[in-house]
Structure formats: C-alpha cells, structure tokens
Amino acid sequence: MKYSKVIEEIIQKLIEIVGEENVKTEKDYLEKYSKDETSEVKPHLPEVVVFATKTEQVAKIIKLANEKLIPVTPRGAGTGLSGGAVPVYGGIVLSLEKMNQILEFNPEDLAVVVQPGVITGEIQKLAEEHGLYYAGDPASSESSSIGGNIAENAGGTRVIKYGPTSFHVLALEVVTPTGEIVRYGGKMLKNVMGYDMVRLMVGSEGTLGIVTKITLRLVPKPKYLSTLLVPFDSLENSINSVPKVLSTLGFLPSSIEFMDKESVKMASKFLNEEIPNMESPAHLIVEIEAQDKDSLAKSYMKLGDEMMKNGAVEVYIADNRHHREKIWKFRKAIAEGIIAFRPTHCMEDVSVPISKMPQIVLEAEKIARNNGIEVLSFGHVGDGNMHVTFLKPPEMSSDSWKERLENSLVELYKLTAKLGGSITGEHGVGVKRRRFLKIFMTEEEIEFMRKIKKALDPNMILNPGKIF
Amino acid sequence: MNIIVFIKQVPDTDKVKIDPETGTMIREGFEATINTFDLHALELAVRIKEKTESKVTTISMGPPNTEDILRQSIALGADEAILLTDRFFAGADTLATSVALARAIENIDFDLIIAGERATDGETGQVGPEVGVLLGIPVVSYVSKLVEIDKNSIVVERSVEDGIERWQVELPALIAVTRAVSEPRLPTLSGKKKAMKSSVKKLSASVLGLKPEEIGLRGSPTRVSKVFNVKVTRNVQMYEGENLQEGINRVVEILRGYVK
C-alpha cells in the first residue's frame, strides 16, 4: 500500500477539525506515541498525533485520511501488549485519551455508557459504589482504557466466571474506516437484529472501526470474597486438579491463576516478600464469591479439601482484605518483576484447552533450555491462557537472543497449534505476532478475514500492518 | 509461657470517615475485620509459641459479632479466645476499655501481653500501655523487633524517631508492636477447621465484678469536642523540558540534606 505523507496542508486541516491544542508534531509527542508496552516490537514514529474530543471529529479525520491516503492508528492508553497502537506506516496516531467521560450510569438497566478513553478501573469503581460490578478485569485495569480493552477483547483474571470484555459489551458507536458514524446493539442482552456487529468490532484491534461510545453490562457485585493460595507437589497436579475440582464443586470460582516456581521467585524478588512454600513447583490462586459468610466458608472448605485430595501440599485461605490483597499483589508483581529485572524478554499469550496446559509449560521449559534462554510461566488456568515468558540471559548478545527467541517462538507456536490452541488469548496479534499467524490458520482462513477488512476499509487506512 | 494478644474489630476500610455532625466514625457500609496491627501482634505470639511451647490467648471487647474475628485469630494459631461483651461496655473510651481488659486479665495466668501499636479506626494507641499500667507491669511501646525471650525476661528493639532503643524487661510485661515486628501468615485450611470447631469464652461485666459506672460510656472521661480533617497543603513544583536539569539538581540537593 502506498500512503501519502502528512504535509503542512493536512496538519492545517487537522487543526481545523480538533483545534491547535489537539494536534502535536513535537518530537517528544511523536516519540511517546511511537510505541506501547510491548516488548520485542520496534517503535515507529507517527508524523502527527491528534487528540479527538468528539465522535464527529473522529469521523472527519477518517474522511480526510481516506481522501489523502494517510494511515490512521487509533490509540487508547497505550498499555497494549501486541504493538497494536504502534504506527508502523507513520501517518496519524489518533488518540482517544481525551474522550474520557462516563456519559450515563443506568443502574435501572444494569448498564453504563462511557467514552473509549475512560480508564477501566474507574468504571469498576463507579459500579461497585452502587452495589454493582463491571466484571471485565484485565490485570492492567488501573491503567488501560476501556476502548483499548474492546479493541483487544481484553481478558484478565475473572474470565472463567464472567468472560472476556466481549461478554460485557452491549452496544457500540463506531466510526467506520470510511468515516461514517454507526451504532449497533442496545441496553439489552438479547438482540439478533442482523449480524452481530458488536462482536465483530470487539477484538478487531482497531482495524475495522474506531469505537467512540460504549454501553457496558453490569452485574450484581458479589458480597463476600475469599482468595485461596494453594502450593502443589507438582506442576502437572496443580493444573490437572482444576477440571477435577470444578466437576465436584457445584459452583464456579471467579479466578483460577497459575504461577510456576520461577514466577513466584520473580514476584518475591520484586516485592522483597515471600509467600509460603516458595519451593513448590507451582502455586494456584483461586478466588471464590458468595452472598453470605457461611456459604463462603462452606465453599472454601469444600474447595480446599478437594485441592488437598489432588496434590495440594497446603491450602491457605485469605478471607479478609489484608490477606487477599497480599496474594493478589504478589500475582500482579510477576509482570512488574519481569519488566524491572529482565527488561529484554518476550511475554507470550498462548491459549490451549485446560488439559493441555501442563504440556505447554513443561515443553516451554524444554524449548528454552534447548535454545539456551530462560523461561517462566504464569497465567489463567481457569480459561486455558498461559503467559509463557522467554527471558534473555543477562550475558547473551542481543543478536544471539533474537535468533534463539525466534526459534523458541516458532517451536512454542507449533506445539500450541498442534494442541488445538491459539497464538493469543487476550493480548492480540497486532504487529508482534502477525508473521506467525500462518502457523495457526490456513491461507483461506486468513484471506476470508482479509476480505472483511478490504470490504470495510477499501483504502486500507485504518491501523494497517496489524493482524495479517 | 502464657501469651495474651489484644484483638480489635474495626471497619474494613483504609479511609475512615467521620460524621461531621456527631464527631463519631461512620461504620455503616463496611464489613468488620481484624485490626491489621493486631495481626502482626498475633503473628509474633504464634512464632514465640512455636519456639517455646507457649499458649496464646486472644482477647477482645466488643459486640457479640466480634466472635467472628476471634475465631479468625484461632485459625491463625491462637489456642483460646475470650470476648468481653455486655451492653454496659458500649461507648467505652480507651480508659474504660483498659479497665475492663485489665480486670479480665487479672484472672488469667500470663507472662507476656502483646498489643498492636494502634487500631486503624481510633488511631489512639492508648489501650495497650494503659492496660500495662493498670496491671502494674513494665510496658514497652513501638516494639519493632523481638531479640530474645526466656522465662524471666524479654529483650526488644523499639523504634523511635532518631534510631532504635534496645530494652530488656522482666516478665510479665506488655509490649505494643509495630508492623515491622512480624509478617502475618495466611490462615490454613486446617486452621480454619480448628477455628470452626472451637468456642469463644464470653465474659460479662457482672462476671468480672465491674460496676456500670467504671465501664462503658459512664466510665469514660473522654469527651470528643470537635473532629475535623487535617488539610494537607503541599507545594508542588514542576520541572519540565528545559528546566529538567534544575529539577534534578534540586532533588539531589534535598536528598543530600537527608543523608547528613
């Protein structure tokens, strides 16, 4: 695709649309908007950064981009993990950060209407203040925006019970790749009027439209929570216990998280804190919800007993806030530790059937060993999503790392595909994984998606260079 | 060795709000939980128990539902729990609370009392030391480390503004501990089961021989005349772009001042 440069005339038109204060060409801005939080993806400078404050502005910018053939990369809070917001063809980065208002809060409809730039944690907080719950909960909820969550169909730690972001989106207002403003869905759960355009948009990584208004579903807030920390005698037992325990429980936990020994060490180093049984090959974190204290106690007793029957060496039960926060802080510190201590790494996001998860973790260890690099694994056992993370050994040269990482990734992906899995569970394909998509999909399957893209975006101006 | 640990039930929040009209704490809408500082006190007691074959008894004064958090203390390693509960105890200030606790403890054989530094709701930090004084035993507050303990004495470190003091005191004694003293453990499944089966001993004012005028609101000389939120005023200085170097120099200057 041949794109045009952002010349002065275009800058002037952008200023006419959004005002001078919302058009930035200074080096500092261009650099900041050249990357997101993805490791192993090269930054790429945009030619201009534009902040939209209204849907109509977004539409006008897209129309202008079509007319002049300028690529547009939409961007939320920039916390993505697949390079989705990296402007690989330059052009315009269109930031939705300033569209950050909660427009309507409708507890009577169990719904909230927001703009895409709202930080997800703010929606959660608002709902909880009213006894309700926005159950979409990516680990980044304190920093990621809801628009970005929608673009990537973000998952997180509560997917096993509540589903990923797509389960919570009732309606969307979208600016199409050709600049029309369309609205699909409504404040109701049932709606089969035509194609499910809402689901098509969610997870489309900013390639099929720019979401400008979002209606989200709220559910009742669980009253009591308990978090169990469960060290196991073996990695296989920890994961294999999950389907066994679930089939006897009679209820669904809201989270089941996995941490291998290296992940536990990483979090411990970052926080300078320990958790019990640091030397166990694996720990699970299980969170359960209940409407009263008695049923909560019954639930964790039953769950604990079942875990003990399946290879747990101990079950620690946190049913007060202090203890619960301690466990979750530990879980969230894994990623922070990786960034702090092993900045050259590659965090993967493969997703496989639960029964295949032990194989993924064990094989990843072998793959890393054979390629002379390091690895740790943590993730969401409840939903099959494992963050296998390759780490560059400190003394290794950067060229050697690149080559070994590439080999390791190909091996990991081939295995994942063989096990019936997906290359990404919640981070997206973006730039980072597009060259590997062929391992998982046939030419026909990729072409079928490309046809949708071409039909909706004939000039290929919206977030080019992503997915395929 | 017999160790007693004070436990207080507090609202489960970091943001205590005061009703500006009545000057009392807004407790509605919050679940009750164990005062965090007391978890550290209990942890220290349980660690001593694990080394010296001691018995740990937790004690609290509060409404009947305080039983719940006392059970939690059993799940965390306490052997026994005592609850002072009576409508006559209601509305107690720190002195009236201390009078009741001291009376209950007089009837127990003990070597060491451990209290948390303060409660996250009242924030006074008075009850521990007051009980020690009423019982006529040595009191060491702000204990951040247990150095040594034997049958007759205890050696502790006490954090003060300019450093650390080391104290050796004879037992029985009372220590009030900071969070640094120990990191609370997580309750285990077996601990929870033990707690479910155990019973909490309840004591009323009359059983303790306490008269209504000694305890509760009537026994409380404290009167709250005014409660207000302290306004924190910070003077933020921003250094950006061209001024960045100046900002860095300023930070270095400030840090140097601290080191001196």
Side-chain angles (χ1 to χ4, degrees):
Chain A
M1 201 74 203
K2 193 92 179 100
Y3 295 111
S4 309
K5 290 275 152 212
V6 179
I7 52 172
E8 188 50 36
E9 176 206 336
I10 291 169
I11 299 281
Q12 283 312 317
K13 290 210 164 140
L14 288 169
I15 290 173
E16 275 169 34
I17 297 170
V18 294
E20 203 166 355
E21 70 280 12
N22 290 317
V23 178
K24 304 284 181 187
T25 50
E26 295 91 331
K27 198 168 151 250
D28 283 0
Y29 272 96
L30 301 186
E31 270 172 13
K32 185 177 166 200
Y33 288 85
S34 68
K35 54 185 184 246
D36 58 12
E37 290 185 3
T38 315
S39 59
E40 297 298 314
V41 165
K42 249 195 263 162
H44 203 292
L45 290 183
E47 291 159 79
V48 58
V49 181
V50 181
F51 296 89
T53 55
K54 292 191 184 89
T55 304
E56 291 68 25
Q57 294 175 349
V58 176
K60 282 183 188 164
I61 294 165
I62 295 297
K63 282 205 162 47
L64 174 70
N66 271 288
E67 190 190 311
K68 306 288 183 188
L69 284 184
I70 309 284
V72 178
T73 304
R75 180 181 173 107
T79 59
L81 293 170
S82 59
V86 177
V88 287
Y89 289 95
I92 300 169
V93 160
L94 178 50
S95 168
L96 286 310
E97 284 163 278
K98 291 191 180 175
M99 290 179 73
N100 61 358
Q101 299 302 308
I102 294 177
L103 301 171
E104 292 173 42
F105 178 65
N106 310 119
E108 67 282 7
D109 292 325
L110 294 172
V112 59
V113 183
V114 300
Q115 288 186 314
V118 176
I119 300 298
T120 307
E122 285 175 29
I123 303 169
Q124 292 172 331
K125 213 173 123 207
L126 175 73
E128 286 178 35
E129 279 166 8
H130 293 82
L132 295 169
Y133 203 43
Y134 172 63
D137 185 35
S140 60
S141 61
E142 290 303 312
S143 53
S144 63
S145 66
I146 188 69
N149 291 177
I150 286 173
E152 303 298 336
N153 193 6
T157 57
R158 293 185 192 148
V159 170
I160 182 173
K161 184 167 179 183
Y162 294 103
T165 302
S166 61
F167 281 41
H168 314 298
V169 183
L170 295 174
L172 291 175
E173 176 185 84
V174 179
V175 173
T176 69
T178 42
E180 293 80 25
I181 299 168
V182 295
R183 296 174 186 91
Y184 293 104
K187 284 180 195 160
M188 56 273 183
L189 275 174
K190 285 185 171 177
N191 185 353
V192 291
M193 192 160 62
Y195 296 139
D196 191 345
M197 297 304 279
V198 172
R199 285 285 181 116
L200 178 64
M201 287 298 159
V202 178
S204 64
E205 304 193 16
T207 63
L208 298 183
I210 297 178
V211 169
T212 48
K213 199 199 267 187
I214 302 145
T215 306
L216 296 167
R217 181 192 182 199
L218 303 173
V219 293
K221 180 185 161 190
K223 235 176 149 194
Y224 294 95
L225 298 175
S226 182
T227 309
L228 279 64
L229 177 72
V230 194
F232 276 81
D233 58 359
S234 78
L235 194 146
E236 294 91 325
N237 278 345
S238 73
I239 295 172
N240 292 339
S241 74
V242 171
K244 285 185 205 158
V245 169
L246 288 184
S247 61
T248 60
L249 271 189
F251 65 89
L252 205 52
S254 48
S255 299
I256 307 178
E257 297 287 299
F258 165 87
M259 307 185 279
D260 73 0
K261 196 163 120 185
E262 293 304 316
S263 302
V264 166
K265 278 191 198 160
M266 184 64 87
S268 171
K269 189 176 168 193
F270 184 76
L271 295 172
N272 199 16
E273 266 178 32
E274 293 207 334
I275 52 167
N277 305 71
M278 290 284 294
E279 288 306 314
S280 273
H283 280 74
L284 292 186
I285 295 171
V286 187
E287 186 151 280
I288 54 176
E289 303 171 338
Q291 26 326 21
D292 61 71
K293 278 187 178 173
D294 287 345
S295 67
L296 185 73
K298 261 189 215 153
S299 299
Y300 64 59
M301 292 287 183
K302 168 105 178 135
L303 181 61
D305 283 337
E306 290 299 325
M307 290 281 181
M308 289 302 282
K309 278 187 218 159
N310 284 285
V313 293
E314 182 56 278
V315 174
Y316 299 93
I317 299 165
D319 56 357
N320 68 47
R321 198 165 50 96
H322 175 84
H323 284 139
R324 285 185 47 238
E325 283 175 0
K326 190 180 152 114
I327 295 175
W328 281 114
K329 193 173 88 182
F330 203 86
R331 163 67 182 81
K332 291 188 174 172
I334 301 171
E336 292 175 283
I338 293 169
I339 293 164
F341 300 119
R342 307 301 289 271
T344 310
H345 64 265
C346 186
M347 190 188 290
E348 285 311 302
D349 182 39
V350 292
S351 202
V352 290
I354 297 174
S355 65
K356 310 292 187 209
M357 292 185 88
Q359 205 178 332
I360 280 288
V361 177
L362 293 170
E363 287 290 325
E365 283 174 12
K366 251 191 235 165
I367 292 169
R369 204 167 40 239
N370 291 343
N371 284 290
I373 60 174
E374 294 171 36
V375 70
L376 59 76
S377 294
F378 64 100
H380 320 288
V381 196
D383 53 47
N385 189 198
M386 188 64 81
H387 297 307
V388 171
T389 305
F390 293 114
L391 310 167
K392 179 176 105 58
E395 69 287 354
M396 186 175 281
S397 76
S398 137
D399 284 346
S400 176
W401 156 250
K402 272 187 192 141
E403 191 191 322
R404 288 157 194 260
L405 173 64
E406 189 77 7
N407 291 341
S408 304
L409 287 177
V410 170
E411 287 177 47
L412 175 71
Y413 293 152
K414 281 187 175 161
L415 172 71
T416 306
K418 203 176 92 189
L419 298 176
S422 158
I423 189 169
T424 173
E426 57 186 5
H427 294 170
V429 178
V431 199
K432 183 178 170 171
R433 303 183 177 90
R434 65 186 281 230
R435 65 187 188 279
F436 302 112
L437 202 59
K438 286 198 286 285
I439 300 176
F440 291 82
M441 288 181 159
T442 62
E443 232 358 278
E444 289 80 6
E445 286 160 353
I446 295 172
E447 188 50 36
F448 195 57
M449 292 199 293
R450 204 176 271 131
K451 275 183 189 162
I452 296 176
K453 169 70 177 167
K454 279 183 189 156
L456 299 184
D457 185 8
N459 293 322
M460 300 295 269
I461 57 118
L462 197 55
N463 211 7
K466 310 294 157 67
I467 307 179
F468 32 62
Chain B
M1 186 173 287
N2 289 316
I3 306 170
I4 293 172
V5 179
F6 291 170
I7 300 286
K8 188 180 185 189
Q9 174 169 281
V10 295
D12 190 2
T13 173
D14 288 334
K15 293 172 199 119
V16 172
K17 282 186 190 151
I18 305 288
D19 184 333
E21 297 289 309
T22 61
T24 55
M25 199 177 310
I26 302 169
R27 288 171 191 271
E28 287 73 36
F30 294 112
E31 282 298 318
T33 189
I34 270 191
N35 174 38
T36 318
F37 288 90
D38 301 345
L39 286 172
H40 294 262
L42 177 60
E43 178 64 29
L44 179 65
V46 175
R47 286 191 194 178
I48 297 172
K49 169 184 148 176
E50 284 166 351
K51 280 185 195 152
T52 62
E53 280 195 25
S54 303
K55 181 182 158 196
V56 175
T57 304
T58 49
I59 185 165
S60 187
M61 187 178 99
N65 71 3
T66 310
E67 197 176 331
D68 223 41
I69 61 146
L70 282 171
R71 274 181 203 287
Q72 284 185 37
S73 76
I74 292 173
L76 288 165
D79 301 287
E80 240 181 57
I82 299 170
L83 173 60
L84 311 190
T85 187
D86 195 315
R87 65 192 170 88
F88 290 112
F89 290 135
D93 67 1
T94 59
L95 182 66
T97 305
S98 303
V99 166
L101 287 172
R103 180 64 61 84
I105 292 167
E106 275 171 5
N107 302 318
I108 306 171
D109 186 20
F110 72 93
D111 302 284
L112 178 64
I113 302 173
I114 308 178
E117 178 195 319
R118 60 190 155 89
T120 53
D121 54 356
E123 299 267 353
T124 68
Q126 291 169 355
V127 170
E130 280 176 5
V131 172
V133 170
L134 289 171
L135 291 171
I137 57 172
V139 173
V140 188
S141 56
Y142 300 103
V143 168
S144 52
K145 191 179 173 187
L146 170 72
V147 182
E148 234 177 84
I149 184 165
D150 62 34
K151 268 186 201 158
N152 305 314
S153 71
I154 184 169
V155 181
V156 293
E157 283 181 359
R158 177 174 192 268
S159 295
V160 288
E161 268 179 34
D162 296 331
I164 286 169
E165 296 173 356
R166 186 174 275 217
W167 287 82
Q168 179 169 25
V169 290
E170 274 179 23
L171 296 178
L174 182 144
I175 57 172
V177 300
T178 67
R179 287 181 206 237
V181 83
S182 64
E183 188 52 35
R185 71 190 61 195
L186 292 163
T188 60
L189 182 64
S190 51
K192 285 280 180 193
K193 284 184 176 169
K194 184 181 147 207
M196 269 192 155
K197 284 182 209 138
S198 59
S199 61
V200 170
K201 188 174 169 187
K202 289 180 192 131
L203 298 174
S204 64
S206 62
V207 167
L208 293 170
L210 288 162
K211 295 185 197 106
E213 58 269 27
E214 292 177 88
I215 52 170
L217 192 60
R218 287 175 65 189
S220 299
T222 312
R223 291 289 172 269
V224 178
S225 60
K226 192 183 171 193
V227 176
F228 58 94
N229 289 318
V230 179
K231 271 198 187 135
V232 182
T233 48
R234 288 195 186 91
N235 188 11
V236 179
Q237 254 177 304
M238 298 288 283
Y239 295 93
E240 283 178 302
E242 285 171 12
N243 301 326
L244 199 59
Q245 191 55 46
E246 192 193 331
I248 293 168
N249 293 344
R250 180 80 189 109
V251 171
V252 172
E253 214 171 87
I254 293 167
L255 290 176
R256 284 218 174 108
Y258 273 105
V259 176
K260 254 181 239 168

